[in-house]
Amino acid sequence: MKQLIIISICLICSLNIVYATNPADSIKAKIENYSKLIAIDPNDNYSLFERGVLYFKTGKNKLAQKDFQKIDNYTLEYNLSHSYLADIYYADNKIDLAIEHYNLFIEAFEQGFDYEDQKIRAYHNLGKCLILKTNYIDAIYYFNKACLIGVNNNL
């Protein structure tokens, strides 16, 4: 019971810290707020993911990568983090790692994790990686999958 109360208090504090941030505030302030939450709970998957996304959006890929790699397995954040990690590895020209993480992301949503726009992006980017590896047949396959999802869902 005591643990439940502590977890509840941490959750309420975390919501207040993050959502007290005015939308007009800078990304830097949001990163600082998520950092405070992570200092309270270093295993806070949600805060690690959100801070990683903010780092990614500001071009701080190494910091984003560190946050994404700390996220626990089998969570929504873990599944989404593979897409960002793949993008980071692709930008660093680490094509094999990018392919690995696009495949992990695709595997997650093929088992019920369902974000259509993310699927399209993952298939498309995986196709680009495979072209760089001169695997043209598989690249065409993934480009076609991206197109079919878009057509079937009017995206």
Side-chain angles (χ1 to χ4, degrees), residues 73-84:
N73 293 351
Y74 311 114
T75 62
L76 173 65
E77 295 85 3
Y78 174 76
N79 293 333
L80 288 169
S81 70
H82 285 299
S83 179
Y84 286 99

Side-chain angles (χ1 to χ4, degrees), residues 33-53:
N33 287 338
Y34 283 116
S35 296
K36 290 176 187 175
L37 293 174
I38 294 165
I40 294 169
D41 180 7
N43 299 316
D44 180 353
N45 292 324
Y46 179 80
S47 295
L48 285 165
F49 178 76
E50 292 297 327
R51 186 176 71 175
V53 170

